[in-house]
Amino acid sequence: MQFKFHDADVEADQLDTMLESLMRDIGTAGATPCRAVEGHLPKNAKGDAFTVGAIALAALPAVLPQVIQLVNEWVVRAPRRRIRIRGKNGLEVEFTSDKPLGEKEVLDLARRISAIK
C-alpha cells in the first residue's frame, strides 16, 4: 500500500521531516513503513512509486484501521493537507484536511483497501 502526502504550506524538506515522524508513529501501530521515492521503490514494496512525499507500507489487515486513523489525524492538523492512498488491489482514495474521515469511514476504507481484487 502507498500513501502520497501533500501539504501546500510547507517546503519539501519540512514535509520530509514530518513524514519521518509519521512513519515512526505508523511503525508503533504495527505496520512496516518505508520511503518511496519517484522511480524507485524500497526492496519488497509492491506497486510503483508516486513521488517524493510517499510512503510504502506493509500492514496486516488488523492494523490498517489504526494506520489510516493516524494518517487521518496527521492530515487534519493543518489546512491544505491532502493524502492519496493506493492499495495493492488498485483502489485509490484521496482525502483532505477540510474533510476528515469518521470512524465508520476509516473502518470501511481499511476493509476496501485490504480486499483482494
Side-chain angles (χ1 to χ4, degrees):
M1 174 184 343
Q2 293 181 336
F3 294 85
K4 179 184 175 190
F5 300 90
H6 176 74
D7 188 327
D9 297 324
V10 300
E11 298 295 324
D13 59 334
Q14 292 172 304
L15 181 61
D16 189 57
T17 301
M18 291 187 307
L19 291 180
E20 289 297 324
S21 175
L22 181 60
M23 285 176 57
R24 283 190 297 276
D25 292 344
I26 289 172
T28 302
T32 306
C34 56
R35 294 303 299 263
V37 180
E38 188 172 5
H40 300 88
L41 277 177
K43 187 177 180 179
N44 299 324
K46 307 282 187 216
D48 60 318
F50 279 107
T51 187
V52 173
I55 295 175
L57 78 97
L60 294 173
V63 300
L64 278 179
Q66 295 99 314
V67 169
I68 293 170
Q69 185 59 40
L70 277 169
V71 172
N72 186 47
E73 291 168 2
W74 182 85
V75 168
V76 299
R77 287 183 195 152
R80 301 176 5 141
R81 280 190 181 168
R82 181 177 69 233
I83 182 173
R84 183 172 33 151
I85 300 173
R86 184 186 326 171
K88 65 181 180 179
N89 62 0
L91 175 71
E92 287 193 39
V93 177
E94 182 172 290
F95 56 98
T96 63
S97 57
D98 61 341
K99 190 175 178 190
L101 299 177
E103 183 179 343
K104 184 178 182 304
E105 293 166 307
V106 167
L107 293 172
D108 183 57
L109 179 56
R111 181 189 52 76
R112 291 179 21 223
I113 286 175
S114 62
I116 297 172
K117 192 172 186 181

